[in-house]
Amino acid sequence: PIKIAQDEGLRVLAVDSNPDAQGFAFADEVSNVSNRDIDGLKLLCDESLERGYLVKGVLVMGTDIPHIAAELSIHLGIPGPSRDTGNWTTNKFLMKEKLSQAGVAVPWYALAENYHSLRRLMHEHGGEKFIIKPTDRSGARGVFVVYRNDENLESLFNESKNESDIGEVLVEEFIEGAQISTETIMWKGDAHTPGFVDRNYEMLDRFAPSVIENGGNHPSKFKGKQRSEIESLVKNSAIALGIETGVAKGDVVIKNDGSPMIIEMAARLSGGDFSESLIPLGCGVNIVKSAIEISVGRQPDLDKLTDQWEKHVANRYFFSSPGKLKAIHGLEDINNIPWIEKFEIWVKPGDEIKKIKFHGGRLGVFIVTGDSSEEVEERIRTVYETVRFDVE
């Protein structure tokens, strides 16, 4: 996003509490202010004006802070999500309440105040399989698949609650079915959804009870009427959450009867290579550019938000068992392979690998392209068979 903004003639001020943040190498200005420190961010923007640079837009990508973007945009008098939208989309209970009130299909849900309340709610609802999650976290932190008679239910509830900054846990019915990630540009109430990817949860059993996603595939197997129904659901969800102009990132599950339900929706650009790589590679749409244009008060080119082509692309992540990483094998064998669009390893020999409980525990990522879904899957297997992590 930094490079795209600069290509649009914009100067970029990047903020992160981490002095080694990757984006700092590309930004025009940097500051070690946390992206959640609203007072520090306001002061930084005011100081930028004193240096002769007016902050014209705020962009959120891959981190769940639209409420911070809302406060900054109000402070600066620039486009951005409303304060209500920021609150609704960063509290999963409030989000479900707004969606339900608008008649949007969502799984059964309730706020569990404590462990005994959780047991009572699960018993009253019926069924056996549920999801518990903090109301205010992202990246699968504190998200667990649980069962009504799970012997570890209390410890999992406590772990989920401890992950929450406000101590709230949402329980919802686990809906069996395929899942879709969507990414939509909303412009004055109209929806344009070039982002449409099948989510990959092939490792649910391996990492149970944690819910760890392993990338996604484009194009989706859901097409025609089914895709239109999903896009309509996404549009209605965005409007219900006050996103009439901006970005709406949706997580959708397809029930066994074929009908879609919204799991969650975020008022920001996605991370995990979705908006950055899968969308432009898969369908030729630069959704990040459109989001930047909206953030600075420009109208995006709506014609360029429709698919320019359909290509096969997928991203996957590296995982390992816990222990001390001794070596990574096979890296030299995957150099300069033309169908590998991205390859990153985030660990090095000597690092202690912890048990993976959320998405931040993944070891690296790669993106492959191919002429068919079968070829993409074969290339994914090739990478996994070539790159091996030696963990003690």
Side-chain angles (χ1 to χ4, degrees):
I2 293 174
K3 292 180 178 179
I4 294 172
Q6 290 167 334
D7 289 343
E8 291 294 294
L10 299 169
R11 183 178 178 86
V12 177
L13 167 60
V15 297
D16 201 300
S17 57
N18 176 12
D20 299 318
Q22 194 173 31
F24 280 6
F26 307 99
D28 300 291
E29 291 187 43
V30 303
S31 178
N32 285 129
V33 176
S34 167
N35 59 20
R36 294 176 182 270
D37 179 2
I38 187 60
D39 291 332
L41 293 171
K42 288 178 180 178
L43 178 61
L44 187 63
C45 290
D46 293 342
E47 291 174 345
S48 180
L49 178 60
E50 293 174 4
R51 294 193 302 274
Y53 298 108
L54 175 65
V55 177
K56 297 183 64 178
V58 179
L59 184 70
V60 177
M61 178 176 180
T63 181
D64 214 19
I65 54 168
H67 58 306
I68 301 296
E71 294 297 332
L72 267 184
S73 63
I74 292 169
H75 175 72
L76 296 167
I78 59 177
S82 70
R83 187 174 282 124
D84 281 341
T85 294
N87 291 333
W88 295 334
T89 55
T90 51
N91 183 299
K92 301 180 195 307
F93 177 71
L94 297 180
M95 180 193 304
K96 289 283 181 20
E97 290 281 86
K98 291 301 298 182
L99 293 173
S100 292
Q101 291 164 11
V104 174
V106 297
W108 171 87
Y109 67 95
L111 197 61
E113 297 179 357
N114 51 49
Y115 167 64
H116 298 292
S117 171
L118 173 66
R119 289 291 303 269
R120 175 181 56 79
L121 290 166
M122 293 166 70
H123 178 77
E124 290 176 353
H125 177 69
E128 293 293 329
K129 198 172 183 180
F130 298 85
I131 290 279
I132 58 172
K133 61 180 75 171
T135 60
D136 58 339
R137 297 304 300 273
S138 59
R141 290 173 177 82
V143 180
F144 302 112
V145 177
V146 297
Y147 297 84
R148 196 145 56 101
N149 297 316
D150 197 325
E151 61 182 14
N152 298 318
L153 183 59
E154 185 170 11
S155 64
L156 291 174
F157 173 83
N158 290 334
E159 187 171 348
S160 184
K161 186 170 184 175
N162 288 337
E163 281 285 353
S164 170
D165 291 333
I166 57 177
E168 286 187 352
V169 175
L170 186 74
V171 55
E172 60 186 40
E173 180 183 5
F174 184 94
I175 305 297
E176 300 283 356
Q179 293 193 30
I180 305 290
S181 285
T182 63
E183 192 116 17
T184 301
I185 291 292
M186 297 292 296
W187 181 253
K188 297 182 178 180
D190 288 331
H192 306 265
T193 306
F196 203 94
V197 168
D198 292 341
R199 306 178 81 183
N200 176 27
Y201 280 105
E202 64 187 1
M203 295 188 174
L204 276 183
D205 291 340
R206 175 178 173 180
F207 295 114
S210 298
V211 181
I212 304 298
E213 181 181 355
N214 188 20
N217 288 61
H218 181 280
S220 170
K221 60 179 176 286
F222 295 95
K223 303 180 184 298
K225 182 180 178 182
Q226 271 194 308
R227 174 162 179 164
S228 295
E229 290 176 353
I230 295 167
E231 290 182 351
S232 178
L233 176 72
V234 167
K235 174 183 176 179
N236 293 338
S237 301
I239 292 173
L241 295 171
I243 312 171
E244 298 206 354
T245 294
V247 180
K249 174 193 170 294
D251 296 336
V252 180
V253 61
I254 313 300
K255 296 169 60 179
N256 290 334
D257 64 5
S259 61
M261 302 181 86
I262 283 285
I263 301 174
E264 292 177 8
M265 176 163 280
R268 58 173 173 82
L269 284 167
S270 59
D273 297 297
F274 185 21
S275 59
E276 174 191 334
S277 300
L278 295 187
I279 296 174
L281 288 171
C283 64
V285 174
N286 191 338
I287 196 168
V288 177
K289 178 180 177 181
S290 296
I292 291 171
E293 289 170 336
I294 289 174
S295 74
V296 296
R298 303 174 186 169
Q299 177 173 339
D301 187 337
L302 302 179
D303 291 335
K304 291 185 177 179
L305 289 171
T306 57
D307 291 4
Q308 306 299 302
W309 59 67
E310 182 178 274
K311 295 183 179 179
H312 294 270
V313 58
N315 67 325
R316 292 291 187 271
Y317 295 92
F318 292 108
F319 306 88
S320 84
S321 55
K324 187 173 184 178
L325 180 60
K326 295 174 62 178
I328 306 172
H329 303 287
L331 296 181
E332 65 283 355
D333 297 323
I334 52 88
N335 284 336
N336 302 316
I337 294 178
W339 45 261
I340 296 180
E341 296 287 343
K342 179 178 182 178
F343 184 92
E344 292 182 0
I345 300 293
W346 304 321
V347 292
K348 62 185 184 303
D351 287 350
E352 194 69 29
I353 307 301
K354 298 180 180 179
K355 180 180 179 181
I356 295 175
K357 289 190 173 184
F358 59 95
H359 292 161
R362 298 178 292 203
L363 308 186
V365 65
F366 62 94
I367 297 174
V368 302
T369 56
D371 292 330
S372 66
S373 57
E374 292 78 15
E375 185 172 57
V376 164
E377 292 299 328
E378 178 59 35
R379 289 174 172 178
I380 289 170
R381 284 191 291 271
T382 297
V383 175
Y384 277 138
E385 290 168 359
T386 303
V387 179
R388 293 171 290 109
F389 294 82
D390 185 0
V391 176
E392 187 178 56

